[in-house]
Amino acid sequence: MNPLRSLILAAAGNHTIRRVVAGAPVSRDVVRRFVAGETTADAVAVTSKLVASGLTVTLDYLGEDTTDAALAEQTVHAYLELLDALEAQGLAERAEVSVKLSAVGQLLDERLALENAGRICAAAQRCGTTVTLDMEDHTTTDSTLRVLAQLRESWPWVGAVLQAYLRRTRDDCARLSGPGSRVRLCKGAYAEPPDVAFADAHEVDLSYVRCALALLSGDGYPMFATHDPRLVRLIGERAAAFEHKPGSFEFQMLYGVRPEEQLRLAQLGHTVRVYVPYGGEWYGYLMRRLAERPSNTGFFLRSLATRG
Ligand code: FDA
């Protein structure tokens, strides 16, 4: 792994650095490039604009690694409020939610995370939308897939994220490519040891292609989350070869990353979903985005130095 990337990912998990950076009066513009804002109203306003431009959305209430049941409860409430607001604004058909199980209690007790995620799924069903479970570091993969299987007994549309950098993922894709299954395939954003994950970027790309083919040849609904132009092109070609029509799979990208490409793909008739994070806990999320593109880091550090 690129040394700067490792350094930034290490900083993402360091509590002292988190305190200094998150407390600094960083320009709102730096954070706002990747984060919709802090409130439900901010999230809904950004969603409205994206939907009006022909895109679909998945919303993530920022927060992770919660070790406090009260905070997990607060996260559930944020999602319930958001879902009500999406329904009230007529956006629920085009906007779903993404949930990190560690934000709703997974580190405390898997059963608590299951129960909390279930409350969010029930609300999503009532509002006419769906939920996708984000995937975090590899120590949580088995637990997240167990919770997914249990949720899908009541809400078969619950989606999962699989990370191509994990050596196990090709098999997970095959297992999860059955009818009705919604799988978001991404490269993976955490610092992982080489025994579980490919470290070389080219190997990760090859794994992404193998996983994508497993999903495209299955009966589920694949969701390809990448900004990589080569992968986007290849998936478009392979989807056509598998006779997947636009609408039977989708492309997904992060808010603030390659927005022109998002619109271009939508104008070609593809479903394009933008992952929109919001809330006050932006630090870990922003650090992972900077690690993916260390060229953005100078811009971020300069902004800290001039405003801090
Ligand atoms: P990569 O970062 O390798 O970039 C490949 C190419 O894409 C670059 O060479 C460049 O051409 C282009 N590109 C990338 N970033 C760009 C930028 N800022 N501006 C211009 N061009 C750019 N991860 C995870 O571990 N768990 C999860 O649950 C999720 N969820 C998730 C949802 C969605 C919708 C997305 C899009 C991503 C995630 N991720 C994730 C993050 C994912 O694992 C990954 O870290 C990022 O998407 C970056 O990987 P890329 O596939 O974009 O390729």
Side-chain angles (χ1 to χ4, degrees):
M1 189 187 283
N2 170 318
L4 185 52
R5 177 156 190 243
S6 312
L7 194 70
I8 300 169
L9 284 176
N14 181 299
H15 290 294
T16 309
I17 300 179
R18 175 188 291 253
R19 243 193 343 271
V20 172
V21 173
V26 184
S27 157
R28 284 170 74 81
D29 292 348
V30 177
V31 181
R32 280 282 178 124
R33 177 168 164 194
F34 297 107
V35 175
E38 300 220 343
T39 66
T40 302
D42 293 333
V44 170
V46 165
T47 301
S48 272
K49 273 198 200 138
L50 292 169
V51 166
S53 67
L55 299 164
T56 62
V57 170
T58 185
L59 285 141
D60 164 35
Y61 178 68
L62 289 165
E64 52 199 86
D65 298 342
T66 299
T67 50
D68 175 344
L71 271 182
E73 183 63 23
Q74 196 184 306
T75 298
V76 175
H77 276 276
Y79 275 108
L80 300 186
E81 182 183 292
L82 173 68
L83 286 163
D84 280 345
L86 292 174
E87 188 189 21
Q89 297 297 316
L91 292 166
E93 202 186 312
R94 307 276 294 169
E96 63 138 36
V97 295
S98 287
V99 175
K100 283 189 175 48
L101 289 181
S102 81
V104 294
Q106 188 179 33
L107 301 185
L108 293 165
D109 177 358
E110 189 177 300
R111 278 167 310 176
L112 176 67
L114 171 63
E115 189 189 310
N116 282 339
R119 290 161 65 200
I120 297 170
C121 290
Q125 172 125 322
R126 230 176 13 252
C127 297
T129 189
T130 51
V131 177
T132 300
L133 300 184
D134 280 339
M135 192 60 86
E136 302 178 64
D137 74 72
H138 80 278
T139 62
T140 64
T141 308
D142 284 326
S143 162
T144 300
L145 294 181
R146 264 195 308 273
V147 172
L148 172 81
Q150 285 167 282
L151 292 171
R152 290 193 65 194
E153 286 172 15
S154 304
W155 302 283
W157 41 256
V158 178
V161 176
L162 295 176
Q163 299 151 315
Y165 66 9
L166 294 186
R167 296 177 189 275
R168 60 179 283 169
T169 294
R170 166 70 183 71
D171 292 341
D172 286 335
C173 284
R175 259 194 298 278
L176 283 175
S177 62
S181 181
R182 293 168 60 250
V183 174
R184 170 186 299 159
L185 180 65
C186 66
K187 288 190 185 177
Y190 296 80
E192 299 287 15
D195 55 324
V196 299
F198 300 109
D200 177 70
H202 183 59
E203 277 192 283
V204 176
D205 291 353
L206 290 177
S207 171
Y208 195 104
V209 173
R210 286 193 297 272
C211 294
L213 294 179
L215 294 176
L216 282 170
S217 59
D219 298 314
Y221 181 77
M223 307 182 281
F224 297 107
T226 182
H227 313 98
D228 193 323
R230 284 172 316 153
L231 289 177
V232 168
R233 198 171 46 246
L234 189 134
I235 286 160
E237 288 165 10
R238 295 300 158 93
F242 279 105
E243 300 189 349
H244 268 281
K245 303 256 176 309
S248 66
F249 68 99
E250 66 187 48
F251 289 111
Q252 301 190 338
M253 295 191 187
L254 301 175
Y255 180 59
V257 180
R258 303 197 73 206
E260 303 82 16
E261 176 67 358
Q262 296 171 10
L263 291 172
R264 186 190 74 83
L265 288 168
Q267 279 154 13
L268 288 177
H270 290 294
T271 302
V272 180
R273 193 171 299 278
V274 184
Y275 184 102
V276 177
Y278 74 103
E281 291 291 317
W282 48 263
Y283 176 79
Y285 178 85
L286 188 68
M287 287 315 227
R288 287 194 293 279
R289 300 297 73 80
L290 294 179
E292 276 148 23
R293 212 159 169 80
S295 56
N296 284 339
T297 311
F299 151 75
F300 179 66
L301 292 177
R302 268 195 308 282
S303 145
L304 274 180
T306 50
R307 317 246 167 183

